[in-house]
Amino acid sequence: MAEQPYTPKEAMIYSQRIAQLSKALWKSVEKDWQQWIKPFGLNINEHHILWIACHLEGATISEVAKFGVMHVSTAFNFSKKLEERGYLSFSKREDDKRSTYVEVTPEGEALLLQINEHYYDSRHTFLEGSLPLKKLYGRFPEFIELMAVIRNIYGEDFMEIFEKGFKNMEGMFEETDGKLTPKRPPATEDGETEEVL
Amino acid sequence: MAEQPYTPKEAMIYSQRIAQLSKALWKSVEKDWQQWIKPFGLNINEHHILWIACHLEGATISEVAKFGVMHVSTAFNFSKKLEERGYLSFSKREDDKRSTYVEVTPEGEALLLQINEHYYDSRHTFLEGSLPLKKLYGRFPEFIELMAVIRNIYGEDFMEIFEKGFKNMEGMFEETDGKLTPKRPPATEDGETEEVL
């Protein structure tokens, strides 16, 4: 123990501080997330699964479980429910017959876009609580230390998917008069617009 | 909207990033917390209630709910269970007949100390994931931006109780050969030791 770069007491207090802090953080985030997606009849895990399947452009159930931080059985059960409602489709791939892939259907994509369009219909306490920092520093905080620890816990591929998803989201929306609208490609000759995402 | 210090798209992406990040953080912390206290037959809320009642030196159920980030009914029900097991006592105070106070019993204090003594019997993933930062910077990260947002969300009194609890903990333990032991006052004349905490 003596050779470790910290004392057990210091480390325990640090660790318990973070545990209580992250409980407070999550309880606030969870409540807001639930309120936001409630009108669309989804729970947090279902919404998270749709998000992952969308940004991974198809994912195995174990990828969904990993990136969504849920049990494989939870990922499977909620994916099945999303399939029943027409938001996800299950398939096997030619090059990987053993794994089941889930993909977002056009209805699922439309739902995700619609949910984001309604982001500001409900309160987002963490966002509100971040505004004084945004005002002070001119940008939203990046929580780089926290990101570094999460990276150490969940690994590089977890972070890549995470960043990829949010990069995709950048391209999915535009702002018109301060309102969020999904980006629509220009209408084609027959007057129809193509699927985005 | 145009006068707000951020664009709705930027804010939404920031906010959803944090939501997913805090889900990942909490799921990892929750698992470790459960594993740690499982041998003592407590769940997270029960342990949190004991911790709060101990460091507040008695608390109302609504204080327990507030500082423990749980519903009042959850705080009440788990406090009742802790009372049945002899770890908490319920009382009314002369100056405030309407509120029910909970206080940790000597058995409850002894249990809390024992739980902390066994902190290193289980894994603490967040602590492990923080060690590279500790090595790099010479100290554990302080997450000051995150603390600032939590302070904005939950208020000054929440943070005060939080800090007070961890300050108390500093005084509750000493390290002998790298092992955590509760601080014991010197034995009195009749050979008995007094209660600490």
Side-chain angles (χ1 to χ4, degrees):
Chain A
M1 262 308 197
E3 276 169 327
Q4 291 193 31
Y6 55 91
T7 68
K9 188 168 100 173
E10 180 193 5
M12 180 183 76
I13 289 175
Y14 164 78
S15 185
Q16 290 195 34
R17 277 179 73 93
I18 297 305
Q20 293 201 18
L21 199 65
S22 82
K23 188 185 183 204
L25 171 62
W26 171 243
K27 292 296 162 189
S28 141
V29 164
E30 183 185 36
K31 198 170 140 193
D32 290 347
W33 195 340
Q34 281 167 342
Q35 289 297 316
W36 165 42
I37 60 177
K38 203 171 148 186
F40 305 96
L42 297 181
N43 64 35
I44 289 176
N45 280 327
E46 288 167 341
H47 181 236
H48 208 170
I49 291 169
L50 273 186
W51 192 92
I52 293 161
C54 169
H55 293 296
L56 277 178
E57 290 160 41
T60 64
I61 292 293
S62 56
E63 282 173 332
V64 167
K66 179 177 179 179
F67 300 122
V69 204
M70 56 187 94
H71 285 286
V72 172
S73 60
T74 308
F76 181 79
N77 293 335
F78 284 124
S79 295
K80 270 286 167 202
K81 288 200 176 165
L82 290 167
E83 187 201 22
E84 284 161 22
R85 292 170 67 186
Y87 298 136
L88 270 191
S89 64
F90 278 62
S91 61
K92 296 275 181 191
R93 285 189 185 171
E94 272 309 312
D95 55 345
D96 178 12
K97 293 268 186 197
R98 286 182 311 174
S99 304
T100 302
Y101 284 79
V102 289
E103 261 168 295
V104 176
T105 62
E107 291 75 18
E109 286 180 12
L111 181 70
L112 271 177
L113 285 169
Q114 198 195 355
I115 290 174
N116 281 337
E117 275 184 271
H118 288 271
Y119 195 70
Y120 293 105
D121 291 1
S122 62
R123 277 191 73 179
H124 298 284
T125 322
F126 195 88
L127 178 58
E128 288 170 25
S130 304
L131 295 181
L133 285 168
K134 163 78 176 154
K135 205 174 169 185
L136 193 60
Y137 296 114
R139 56 185 176 79
F140 285 110
E142 289 176 7
F143 308 106
I144 51 169
E145 296 170 325
L146 182 60
M147 293 293 281
V149 182
I150 299 274
R151 179 183 301 270
N152 288 338
I153 295 174
Y154 288 101
E156 200 58 45
D157 52 347
F158 181 89
M159 298 313 280
E160 267 171 33
I161 296 306
F162 181 80
E163 296 298 349
K164 190 184 161 203
F166 287 105
K167 211 168 147 52
N168 279 357
M169 272 178 75
E170 296 265 358
M172 281 165 59
F173 291 92
E174 52 196 2
E175 287 165 16
T176 322
D177 303 326
K179 255 184 79 80
L180 276 178
T181 45
K183 256 187 202 162
R184 303 263 179 230
T188 52
E189 279 186 15
D190 57 0
E192 282 181 11
T193 56
E194 285 166 25
E195 283 301 330
V196 276
L197 279 191
Chain B
M1 265 304 199
E3 276 169 325
Q4 290 194 31
Y6 55 92
T7 68
K9 188 168 101 173
E10 181 193 4
M12 179 182 76
I13 289 175
Y14 164 77
S15 185
Q16 290 195 34
R17 277 179 74 92
I18 297 306
Q20 293 201 18
L21 198 66
S22 83
K23 188 186 181 202
L25 170 62
W26 171 243
K27 291 297 159 185
S28 139
V29 164
E30 184 186 35
K31 200 171 139 193
D32 290 347
W33 196 339
Q34 281 167 344
Q35 290 297 316
W36 165 41
I37 60 177
K38 204 172 148 183
F40 306 95
L42 298 181
N43 63 36
I44 289 175
N45 280 325
E46 287 166 341
H47 182 236
H48 207 169
I49 290 169
L50 273 187
W51 192 92
I52 293 162
C54 168
H55 293 296
L56 277 177
E57 291 161 41
T60 64
I61 292 293
S62 56
E63 282 173 332
V64 166
K66 179 177 180 179
F67 300 121
V69 205
M70 55 187 96
H71 285 284
V72 172
S73 60
T74 308
F76 181 80
N77 293 336
F78 283 124
S79 295
K80 271 285 166 203
K81 289 200 176 167
L82 290 167
E83 187 201 24
E84 285 161 22
R85 293 169 67 186
Y87 298 136
L88 271 191
S89 64
F90 279 62
S91 61
K92 296 275 181 193
R93 284 188 185 171
E94 272 309 311
D95 55 346
D96 177 13
K97 292 268 185 198
R98 286 182 311 173
S99 304
T100 303
Y101 283 79
V102 290
E103 261 169 295
V104 176
T105 62
E107 290 75 16
E109 287 180 11
L111 181 69
L112 270 177
L113 285 169
Q114 198 196 355
I115 290 175
N116 281 337
E117 275 185 90
H118 288 271
Y119 195 70
Y120 292 105
D121 290 1
S122 62
R123 278 191 72 177
H124 297 283
T125 321
F126 195 88
L127 178 57
E128 287 170 25
S130 305
L131 295 181
L133 285 168
K134 164 78 176 155
K135 206 174 169 185
L136 193 60
Y137 296 115
R139 55 185 176 80
F140 285 110
E142 288 177 9
F143 307 107
I144 50 167
E145 296 170 326
L146 183 60
M147 293 293 281
V149 183
I150 299 274
R151 178 183 301 271
N152 288 337
I153 295 174
Y154 288 101
E156 200 58 45
D157 53 347
F158 180 89
M159 298 313 281
E160 267 171 34
I161 294 307
F162 182 80
E163 296 299 348
K164 190 185 162 202
F166 287 105
K167 211 169 149 50
N168 278 358
M169 272 178 74
E170 295 267 356
M172 280 165 60
F173 291 92
E174 53 196 3
E175 287 165 15
T176 323
D177 303 326
K179 257 183 78 80
L180 276 177
T181 44
K183 256 187 203 163
R184 305 258 179 235
T188 53
E189 280 186 15
D190 56 1
E192 282 183 11
T193 56
E194 286 168 23
E195 285 300 331
V196 276
L197 279 190

